[in-house]
């Protein structure tokens, strides 16, 4: 018998101990709050870390669980930290200690708290992500049509953050979409609203990414997406004439790149000036001197994270970042998740697509590393690092089957 209510799984299956309950509540708050409130996001991250510390202090069965991504992530953090200490503008770089530094602990707290084999727990967290995205989407659509904003935006930041967040959440949840909630029509209604809001952000990078994601999942998982997504786009196109005008700029991407060609050329020319530790994090305004060539004088970065990281923290930091990215995609794809429908395949596919979306968007500075979406990145990295546990389970089962008595 299916459980009562809207959930497709019983509540008692979410946790085995009071520590699991604390972690579950913290993760759900994290999923709900991300795009809605920065204060709530910081509190939820703090609670996830606190739930880990509670395990260390009071759970006698706790043992540190290492993952293959621990060393790459820690290497990037250490190199980033060293670049702060050698910054050309120490005052600007000190922002690292409260804007980035504490959140690296979040990755390790997640690897210790998450049980990737617990499908019901992660399905609930995914559902919380989707509900938060739905609320953020409804707000974005509302302000777009009623308050004169040219693009849909979130309650906490602008259109770029909302566009990246919705892209990442849809990529993460679509492989498990129909297993999150009942009736399924409710879930598909949430999908349509989120996709409409994503279209109304008018972010070309995110529109390209989500088109590829929907096509892939539509082909390998759910044929319904192959007609529902285009139908949603047609509705968005009819409601917002600006969408058509924005897409038309794809024919001349350089001239409509908001000065990215100038920013990238400047960053590229600086890579060898401070090759080992860079200029220091958040030193863009101190270093960049070609504002007169930009139409947007409020630019605060090089709009390409693969250039910004080495300029700020040196070429070794870029290598560490690529180590993190490459390793995570390897663990998400090594089990060929597009071929299976079991939980580990759906989880690997969703996390892999979300991370790939963030990594591609980073080429254009389209919101992969801002305060909000950077936490989604760490969430995905933590799951990617834990995925090898499925391989251990399969090997264990194989060993057991080899010793079944006659």
């Amino acid at each position: 018998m299916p459980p009562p209510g809207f959930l497709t799984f019983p509540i008692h299956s979410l946790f085995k101990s009071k520590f699991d309950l604390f972690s579950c509540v913290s993760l759900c708050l994290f999923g709900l709050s991300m795009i809605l409130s920065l204060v709530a996001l910081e509190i939820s991250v703090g609670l996830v870390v606190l739930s880990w510390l509670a395990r260390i202090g009071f759970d006698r069965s706790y043992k540190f669980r290492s993952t293959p991504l621990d060393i790459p992530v820690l290497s990037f953090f250490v190199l980033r930290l060293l670049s702060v200490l050698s910054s050309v503008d120490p005052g600007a770089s000190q922002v690292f200690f409260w804007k980035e530094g504490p959140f690296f602990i979040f990755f390790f707290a997640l690897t210790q708290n998450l049980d990737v084999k617990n499908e019901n727990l992660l399905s609930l967290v995914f559902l919380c992500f989707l509900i938060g995205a739905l609320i953020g989407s409804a707000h974005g659509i509302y302000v777009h049509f009623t308050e004169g904003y040219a693009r849909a935006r979130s309650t906490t930041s602008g259109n770029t953050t909302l566009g990246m967040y919705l892209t990442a959440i849809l990529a993460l949840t679509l492989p498990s979409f129909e297993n999150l909630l009942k009736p399924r029509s409710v879930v598909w209604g949430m999908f349509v609203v989120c996709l409409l809001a994503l279209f109304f952000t008018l972010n070309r990078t995110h529109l390209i990414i989500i088109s590829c994601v929907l096509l892939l999942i539509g082909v390998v998982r759910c044929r319904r997406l192959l007609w529902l997504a285009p139908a949603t786009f047609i509705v968005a196109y009819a409601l917002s004439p600006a969408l058509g005008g924005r897409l038309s700029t794809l024919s001349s991407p350089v001239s409509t790149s908001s000065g990215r060609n100038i920013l990238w050329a400047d960053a590229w020319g600086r890579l060898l000036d401070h090759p080992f530790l860079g200029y220091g994090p958040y030193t863009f305004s101190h270093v960049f001197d070609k504002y007169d060539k930009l139409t947007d004088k409020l630019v605060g970065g090089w709009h390409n994270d693969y250039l910004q990281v080495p300029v700020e923290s040196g070429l070794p930091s870029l290598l560490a970042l690529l180590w993190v990215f490459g390793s995570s995609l390897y663990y998400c794809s090594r089990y060929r998740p597009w071929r299976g429908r079991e939980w580990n395949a759906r989880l690997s596919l969703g996390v892999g697509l979300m991370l790939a979306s963030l990594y591609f968007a980073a080429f254009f500075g389209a919101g992969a590393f801002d305060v909000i979406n950077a936490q989604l990145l760490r969430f995905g990295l933590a799951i990617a690092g834990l995925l090898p546990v499925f391989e251990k389970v399969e090997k264990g089962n194989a060993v057991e089957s080899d010793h079944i008595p006659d």
Side-chain angles (χ1 to χ4, degrees):
M1 289 289 291
F6 292 103
L7 296 178
T8 60
F9 46 82
I11 295 295
H12 63 76
S13 66
L14 298 174
F15 42 84
K16 299 177 182 178
S17 68
K18 56 187 177 183
F19 301 105
D20 293 333
L21 176 59
F22 187 8
S23 175
C24 176
V25 173
S26 303
L27 289 168
C28 289
L29 177 61
F30 170 69
L32 285 170
S33 66
M34 285 195 68
I35 200 65
L36 304 178
S37 168
L38 289 176
V39 174
L41 170 62
E42 292 170 349
I43 291 173
S44 66
V45 169
L47 288 175
V48 172
V49 174
L50 186 61
S51 67
W52 174 33
L53 298 178
R55 287 183 190 273
I56 297 174
F58 302 102
D59 186 357
R60 295 181 179 179
S61 63
Y62 170 77
K63 294 181 180 179
F64 182 81
R65 181 169 49 187
S66 62
T67 78
L69 290 183
D70 292 348
I71 299 301
V73 170
L74 189 59
S75 298
F76 179 69
F77 168 73
V78 170
L79 290 168
R80 190 85 167 147
L81 177 61
L82 290 175
S83 71
V84 174
L85 303 179
S86 63
S87 174
V88 298
D89 187 356
S93 294
Q94 286 177 4
V95 175
F96 171 87
F97 290 113
W98 59 85
K99 191 173 182 179
E100 284 188 48
F103 290 105
F104 277 94
I105 303 174
F106 182 53
F107 165 80
F108 292 98
L110 286 169
T111 63
Q112 304 308 301
N113 282 331
L114 284 172
D115 179 7
V116 293
K117 299 189 300 297
N118 191 335
E119 177 180 353
N120 294 342
L121 171 62
L122 282 178
S123 293
L124 180 61
V125 175
F126 288 0
L127 180 60
C128 290
F129 278 134
L130 198 56
I131 293 173
L134 177 67
I135 298 172
S137 296
H139 173 269
I141 293 173
Y142 175 80
V143 299
H144 177 54
F145 285 104
T146 65
E147 297 187 9
Y149 287 103
R151 304 182 182 187
R153 56 186 298 170
S154 72
T155 57
T156 55
S157 54
N159 62 85
T160 301
T161 296
L162 179 61
M164 186 69 259
Y165 177 80
L166 293 176
T167 302
I169 292 302
L170 289 176
L172 174 68
T173 57
L174 275 172
S176 303
F177 222 54
E178 296 186 338
N179 301 92
L180 298 181
L181 200 66
K182 59 179 185 178
R184 290 179 178 179
S185 57
V186 174
V187 185
W188 286 110
M190 297 169 74
F191 162 76
V192 169
V193 174
C194 291
L195 192 57
L196 279 174
L198 176 56
F199 288 146
F200 293 146
T201 62
L202 307 184
N203 293 313
R204 296 173 298 184
T205 300
H206 302 146
L207 293 178
I208 292 172
I209 294 172
I210 199 62
S211 298
C212 295
V213 168
L214 292 172
L215 179 61
L216 175 62
I217 298 180
V219 170
V220 304
R221 295 279 174 180
C222 182
R223 297 288 192 273
R224 182 182 302 180
L225 289 175
L226 297 179
W227 64 263
L228 185 57
T232 305
F233 172 78
I234 292 172
V235 172
Y237 188 87
L239 292 175
S240 180
L243 178 58
R246 184 63 174 168
L247 292 177
S248 67
T249 63
L250 289 172
S251 60
S252 53
V254 175
S255 61
T256 57
S257 65
S258 301
R260 280 178 172 82
N261 55 330
I262 299 172
L263 295 168
W264 294 350
D266 187 81
W268 186 260
R270 296 179 185 277
L271 288 180
L272 297 180
D273 291 346
H274 295 75
F276 298 109
L277 292 176
Y279 288 89
Y282 306 102
T283 54
F284 175 83
S285 59
H286 180 90
V287 174
F288 185 71
D289 55 7
K290 297 183 177 64
Y291 282 101
D292 57 312
K293 296 182 179 181
L294 297 176
T295 54
D296 183 359
K297 307 301 182 184
L298 299 178
V299 169
W302 275 274
H303 285 272
N304 183 316
D305 292 310
Y306 301 102
L307 290 174
Q308 183 148 334
V309 165
V311 169
E312 290 187 343
S313 302
L315 294 172
S317 291
L318 176 62
L319 294 177
L321 183 68
L322 295 177
W323 185 14
V324 173
F325 287 1
S327 299
S328 63
L329 292 180
Y330 167 72
Y331 288 109
C332 287
S333 61
R334 68 186 296 187
Y335 310 112
R336 298 181 179 180
W338 49 87
R339 292 190 174 183
R341 291 192 174 273
E342 60 276 7
W343 168 240
N344 63 331
R346 288 185 279 119
L347 178 64
S348 298
L349 181 61
V351 172
L353 287 174
M354 180 184 75
L355 291 176
S357 299
L358 290 165
Y359 300 162
F360 180 80
F363 277 106
F364 305 96
F369 282 89
D370 65 17
V371 174
I372 294 174
N373 289 313
Q375 310 324 313
L376 262 184
L377 173 63
R378 294 184 176 97
F379 178 81
L381 290 175
I383 294 181
L386 293 169
L387 286 176
V389 72
F390 288 110
E391 186 177 22
K392 294 178 181 179
V393 170
E394 290 174 0
K395 288 181 177 179
N397 292 338
V399 171
E400 290 178 3
S401 65
D402 288 342
H403 292 81
I404 295 176
D406 293 334

